Amino acid sequence: MPAIRTVCKVDLEKPASEQPYLHNRWHPNIPSVGAIKDGETVKIECVDWTGGQIGNNDSADDVRNVDLTKIHYLSGPFDVEGAMPGDVLLVEIMDVQPFQDHPWGFTGIFDRRNGGGFLDEIYPSAAKAIWDFEGVYCTSRHIPHVKFAGLIHPGILGCAPSPEVLATWNKREGELIQANKLDRIVALPPLTTNAHAGSADEATKAKVAEEGARTVPGRPEHGGNCDIKNLSRGSKVYLPIHVPGAKFSVGDLHFSQGDGEISFCGAIEMAGVITINFKVIKNGMTDLGLKSPIYIPGPVEPQFGPGRHIYFEGFSVDSHGKQHYMDVTTAYRQTSLRCIEYLRRFGYSDYQSYLLLSCAPVQGHIAGIVDIPNACTTMGLPIDIFDFDISPSTPAKKQDMGSCAFETGVADGKVENGGENSEHSFGGGLTYK
């Protein structure tokens, strides 16, 4: 059998914005960087989602200062032989690994003034944990007494939108932005700042910067940034094709992630290499009735025996006691908080627990969405990732758990010498009060 071909190599010592095999917008005019045969298996190297902005150190200043206009540098796009609009691209993930000379990753909580996260009203400061990889396992000096096997997967994969699909995205997300009356940013419009269109010429770069869709959200027509932890080795993903050649891209590799990736930078983010087999299913969108991607999980998953999870419940009643109607987001926030409160009993800080629930293989589920007014969600915390017993039947013993890394001026998640800034932003000068 011939050696598997590497179709994209990256340089971790070079700015991602200068590498022609990478891009950080979705647009049909971004030039393809290579061709893959129908039925071929190839290796694709990827940078981490920030393009190398986070260091292996004990300060979260780099998390606080991440430039969110530069995020999600994807490898590609790649043309797949014979792929045409209306076909389906079957992507089988054969393997995902960190680079051998880069055996570490990070989990971050973004400062509420720069990205924030699922629980940023309660935990507004930047923090992070560094994870060291040893084979299939990971440990962190910032969250002690925890060890688990990674369910390694890509956070982002998808095919390029057609001009019509791209226009649909920009129209509907623009309408949402215009109608927004919430105290938050609800969508991200095209942004010219730091747009990277790979090897495009200057005219194409300008067009991509003006029209290109941001990579932060997943979208129904192509998948994209879905952060599904079960898209690991052996998984098969069926992707709609909208342009000739498919123009497939991939990135945002994760060593592990919990359902929901609640801290926003909540997986164990890493640089590495993914091995993929590609097959084109002719007329697949019609034959499969496919409007959005579907997938079949692979056989690889951390194994925990019966009764080896503790499940926490949450409902559509927020932390202020306000009743919401069938609000799954509110319910899952409360589910997460119940788990964080439980882990306090053993000495973990709230920020350590928040980081852990983002990246460990927790099981998040919607339990009920029919019994008005309360949706119910659950989070299953694996007992066996800890080297001590956390089960409810065992009296809790509080230990010295050290600390995760915080941004300068913050200790244990509390701002020193001053209050929180009331002006918050999400990259590119977008602000909210």
Side-chain angles (χ1 to χ4, degrees):
M1 179 178 290
I4 296 175
R5 185 167 63 101
T6 298
V7 295
C8 174
K9 295 188 73 68
V10 299
D11 184 348
L12 300 185
E13 302 301 320
K14 184 178 181 180
S17 59
E18 298 177 8
Q19 300 190 46
Y21 284 84
L22 304 177
H23 63 97
N24 66 356
R25 298 290 191 272
W26 292 112
H27 195 285
N29 290 12
I30 296 174
S32 297
V33 297
I36 298 168
K37 294 180 180 179
D38 186 5
E40 187 179 9
T41 298
V42 299
K43 293 181 179 292
I44 301 172
E45 294 186 0
C46 302
V47 298
D48 79 77
W49 77 294
T50 71
Q53 296 185 59
I54 307 301
N56 187 346
N57 53 49
D58 298 319
S59 169
D61 286 356
D62 47 11
V63 173
R64 178 192 62 196
N65 298 327
V66 162
D67 187 341
L68 292 174
T69 67
K70 295 182 176 181
I71 57 173
H72 287 149
Y73 287 100
L74 306 180
S75 296
F78 300 96
D79 283 332
V80 180
E81 180 183 77
M84 294 299 293
D87 296 342
V88 164
L89 186 64
L90 171 54
V91 172
E92 185 171 5
I93 300 171
M94 312 302 286
D95 196 15
V96 193
Q97 294 289 340
F99 290 116
Q100 289 188 358
D101 57 354
H102 203 84
W104 64 274
F106 61 91
T107 304
I109 297 170
F110 277 25
D111 190 297
R112 198 179 183 209
R113 294 164 293 179
N114 188 35
F118 192 53
L119 304 175
D120 62 9
E121 291 185 359
I122 302 170
Y123 307 114
S125 301
K128 78 177 180 186
I130 298 295
W131 296 87
D132 296 307
F133 308 146
E134 187 174 1
V136 299
Y137 291 100
C138 64
T139 57
S140 174
R141 63 185 180 268
H142 295 125
I143 307 176
H145 300 289
V146 170
K147 180 179 181 179
F148 53 87
L151 187 56
I152 310 177
H153 62 278
I156 299 177
L157 46 77
C159 300
S162 65
E164 295 77 16
V165 168
L166 179 61
T168 296
W169 293 353
N170 287 336
K171 179 177 184 294
R172 73 182 179 213
E173 291 171 22
E175 289 172 347
L176 179 64
I177 293 168
Q178 290 298 314
N180 179 33
K181 295 182 180 179
L182 300 176
D183 223 10
R184 301 192 67 93
I185 288 172
V186 296
L188 298 170
L191 180 71
T192 58
T193 305
N194 290 322
H196 182 41
S199 60
D201 58 34
E202 291 304 317
T204 302
K205 287 179 181 178
K207 185 176 179 63
V208 169
E210 186 69 28
E211 302 173 350
R214 305 287 291 280
T215 57
V216 172
R219 295 179 175 91
E221 292 83 359
H222 86 144
N225 190 26
C226 296
D227 293 317
I228 300 170
K229 70 176 174 55
N230 294 96
L231 291 187
S232 190
R233 290 165 290 180
S235 297
K236 296 180 179 180
V237 190
Y238 295 77
L239 298 171
I241 294 174
H242 299 285
V243 298
K247 287 195 170 183
F248 172 85
S249 298
V250 63
D252 187 26
L253 302 187
H254 298 165
F255 189 85
S256 177
Q257 182 201 299
D259 283 330
E261 198 188 9
I262 58 176
S263 78
F264 178 53
C265 183
I268 300 180
E269 311 286 351
M270 71 175 204
V273 58
I274 183 168
T275 306
I276 299 177
N277 176 267
F278 294 88
K279 292 184 177 70
V280 176
I281 302 175
K282 300 304 295 181
N283 202 39
M285 290 179 67
T286 297
D287 291 348
L288 297 176
L290 200 70
K291 293 184 178 179
S292 296
I294 58 176
Y295 77 97
I296 300 172
V300 179
E301 186 167 3
Q303 298 299 308
F304 304 102
R308 305 308 295 171
H309 288 78
I310 304 173
Y311 280 87
F312 299 84
E313 298 182 11
F315 301 88
S316 306
V317 178
D318 66 25
S319 296
H320 305 290
K322 181 180 178 181
Q323 178 72 62
H324 297 258
Y325 176 72
M326 304 303 291
D327 190 328
V328 172
T329 300
T330 295
Y332 202 60
R333 282 199 181 98
Q334 295 306 305
T335 308
S336 304
L337 290 171
R338 298 298 84 79
C339 193
I340 289 171
E341 291 159 2
Y342 186 86
L343 290 174
R344 287 177 193 160
R345 303 164 63 238
F346 306 101
Y348 289 112
S349 73
D350 284 14
Y351 275 81
Q352 286 175 311
S353 298
Y354 187 11
L355 287 162
L356 180 62
L357 299 181
S358 299
C359 66
V362 302
Q363 298 283 350
H365 297 287
I366 298 174
I369 51 172
V370 295
D371 298 315
I372 63 172
N374 278 327
C376 176
T377 61
T378 64
M379 176 181 285
L381 177 64
I383 293 174
D384 296 330
I385 69 174
F386 300 90
D387 65 8
F388 59 94
D389 191 355
I390 68 162
S391 61
S393 60
T394 302
K397 181 181 179 181
K398 188 167 285 192
Q399 303 181 58
D400 180 2
M401 297 298 186
S403 176
C404 58
F406 285 105
E407 60 182 296
T408 300
V410 172
D412 296 326
K414 298 178 181 178
V415 178
E416 299 175 330
N417 302 321
E420 180 193 350
N421 190 338
S422 62
E423 184 90 4
H424 310 302
S425 69
F426 194 119
L430 304 174
T431 60
Y432 63 97
K433 295 287 188 180

